Amino acid sequence: MNTARARRTHRLGRTSVEVSELGFGGGPLGGLFAPLDDATAAQALETAWEGGIRYYDTSPHYGIGHSERRIGELLRDKPRTEFTLSTKVGRLLVPQDPAGHMDESFAVPATHRRVWDFTRDGIRRSVEDSLTRTGAERIDVLHLHDAEEHFEEALRTGFPALAELRAEGMVGAIGGGMYHPGKLTRLVRETDADAVMLSGRYTLMDSSALDSLLPACTERGVSVLAASVFNSGLLATDWPEEGAFYDYAPAAPELLERARRIADVCRAHGVPLPRAAMAFPPHHPAVAGIVVGMRTAEEVRHNIAAFEANVPAQLWSDLRGQGLLDERAPTGAAS
């Protein structure tokens, strides 16, 4: 398995933290959409490591701690200088009696409930809890997570707490992980963030980050980690099927039609749709890497192989010619 492209690393902002160009997204390890057993998760993670992936992203939110624990179990025996670990803050996990209930967001027993908290004390407690679950002694990248509805508190009290942790050496790079480009633009312009993780807004289906966020990041030297490059599944297969998800809900007919038109162009060039979806974001100079959620060893192998495949420059030209790609989006030469 060729892994040269997946192994390439890029530095985040002005920090010394580096991420592999292909990152492992830990959402599915928390039981996103369907249950996942420990053995399957462990095989997926070990396959990712063997395939050269060295950037692992997780969050307390993902499976109310399951994702952090599983990633921590993989990384515990790996040389600390060879991987980058990122997690997030904003939700504290409070133990509770599951009483036979499942979590409302992930397919795991409801052993904890989430409490929003972007205060200094809440963030420091969240980091300590994450260090315990992962078994790590430090976090390389720490993001304010899903702060759209709590943005002022996250900006005014949460970010200074992150900066304090960075100054103490407990965290290497700091920023925010959200789907709202406008809120992330404010974070970039009003703080000294090192990186932001943008979910689903710089993809083949939605390039709205070009309006303000990506120009701001370029101007201020802030790195972008592009997540949800498949928009929750619509771009994850060679041919989008009825019922495919877009932003965690079944895709509307017009979105399904657009995705299929993109898939037609990809087919004409012999390029799988998922490969084009992964190849698109890194062409922008602000994008340091992409983060792809994976749950099985087979998915990992498939994604690495797709990531390594070449994409001819003419594919991007043809997408533009059919009005399927934003004219402002850089695509460079073949990738």
Side-chain angles (χ1 to χ4, degrees), residues 41-109:
Q43 290 169 1
L45 286 162
E46 194 60 51
T47 302
W49 184 271
E50 292 170 0
I53 294 176
R54 293 295 182 268
Y55 173 40
Y56 296 85
D57 175 70
T58 184
S59 168
H61 172 55
Y62 302 156
I64 47 179
H66 278 64
S67 176
E68 286 189 320
R69 173 179 60 80
R70 286 165 165 169
I71 286 178
E73 286 170 359
L74 168 83
L75 298 177
R76 248 168 229 148
D77 296 328
K78 308 301 183 189
R80 187 61 184 89
T81 58
E82 292 188 15
F83 64 83
T84 300
L85 172 65
S86 72
T87 192
K88 308 177 183 78
V89 293
R91 297 173 176 92
L92 289 173
L93 303 183
V94 179
Q96 66 178 7
D97 181 357
H101 297 296
M102 299 296 284
D103 181 65
E104 68 272 16
S105 302
F106 292 81
V108 295

Side-chain angles (χ1 to χ4, degrees), residues 119-128 161 164-165 168 170:
T119 66
R120 176 184 181 275
D121 288 347
I123 283 173
R124 295 186 76 91
R125 176 182 161 191
S126 181
V127 169
E128 290 295 336
E164 188 177 83
L165 290 165
E168 294 171 3
M170 288 185 66

Side-chain angles (χ1 to χ4, degrees), residues 263-282:
D264 281 337
V265 175
C266 291
R267 278 183 172 180
H269 290 278
V271 174
L273 177 59
R275 169 56 189 138
M278 287 191 280
F280 170 67

Side-chain angles (χ1 to χ4, degrees), residues 235 237-240 256-273 276 315 318-319 322 324:
L235 303 177
T237 59
D238 293 353
W239 184 253
L256 184 62
E257 179 189 6
R258 178 182 173 84
R260 287 175 171 176
R261 289 180 63 200
I262 295 172
D264 281 337
V265 175
C266 291
R267 278 183 172 180
H269 290 278
V271 174
L273 177 59
L315 183 149
D318 289 352
L319 287 174
Q322 295 190 31
L324 295 170

Side-chain angles (χ1 to χ4, degrees), residues 49-296:
W49 184 271
E50 292 170 0
I53 294 176
R54 293 295 182 268
Y55 173 40
Y56 296 85
D57 175 70
T58 184
S59 168
H61 172 55
Y62 302 156
I64 47 179
H66 278 64
S67 176
E68 286 189 320
R69 173 179 60 80
R70 286 165 165 169
I71 286 178
E73 286 170 359
L74 168 83
L75 298 177
R76 248 168 229 148
D77 296 328
K78 308 301 183 189
R80 187 61 184 89
T81 58
E82 292 188 15
F83 64 83
T84 300
L85 172 65
S86 72
T87 192
K88 308 177 183 78
V89 293
R91 297 173 176 92
L92 289 173
L93 303 183
V94 179
Q96 66 178 7
D97 181 357
H101 297 296
M102 299 296 284
D103 181 65
E104 68 272 16
S105 302
F106 292 81
V108 295
T111 56
H112 294 73
R113 61 186 176 88
R114 301 167 180 83
V115 177
W116 288 103
D117 195 330
F118 288 99
T119 66
R120 176 184 181 275
D121 288 347
I123 283 173
R124 295 186 76 91
R125 176 182 161 191
S126 181
V127 169
E128 290 295 336
D129 290 347
S130 291
L131 291 173
T132 298
R133 283 188 289 268
T134 60
E137 77 285 356
R138 71 175 188 276
I139 303 297
D140 298 303
V141 189
L142 187 64
H143 290 297
L144 302 167
H145 196 196
D146 292 344
E148 284 86 352
E149 302 303 319
H150 310 267
F151 187 73
E152 294 304 325
E153 180 187 12
L155 185 67
R156 304 305 172 198
T157 65
F159 189 84
L162 265 59
E164 188 177 83
L165 290 165
R166 181 179 59 185
E168 294 171 3
M170 288 185 66
V171 175
I174 58 175
M178 305 179 212
Y179 67 86
H180 196 294
K183 298 288 175 65
L184 284 176
T185 300
R186 281 193 60 196
L187 185 72
V188 167
R189 292 203 176 278
E190 298 180 28
T191 72
D192 63 342
D194 303 305
V196 295
M197 179 171 285
L198 176 65
S199 178
R201 296 299 177 262
Y202 195 56
T203 73
L204 288 177
M205 292 295 295
D206 185 337
S207 56
S208 56
L210 286 167
D211 295 339
S212 62
L213 177 60
L214 288 170
C217 289
T218 300
E219 175 187 333
R220 294 183 60 83
V222 175
S223 297
V224 175
L225 299 160
S228 298
V229 297
F230 300 144
N231 287 112
S232 302
L234 187 59
L235 303 177
T237 59
D238 293 353
W239 184 253
E241 301 288 349
E242 294 284 346
F245 272 43
Y246 178 86
D247 287 359
Y248 305 103
E254 63 272 16
L255 293 173
L256 184 62
E257 179 189 6
R258 178 182 173 84
R260 287 175 171 176
R261 289 180 63 200
I262 295 172
D264 281 337
V265 175
C266 291
R267 278 183 172 180
H269 290 278
V271 174
L273 177 59
R275 169 56 189 138
M278 287 191 280
F280 170 67
H283 280 295
H284 196 286
V287 175
I290 66 170
V291 179
V292 178
M294 297 177 256
R295 63 190 296 121
T296 67

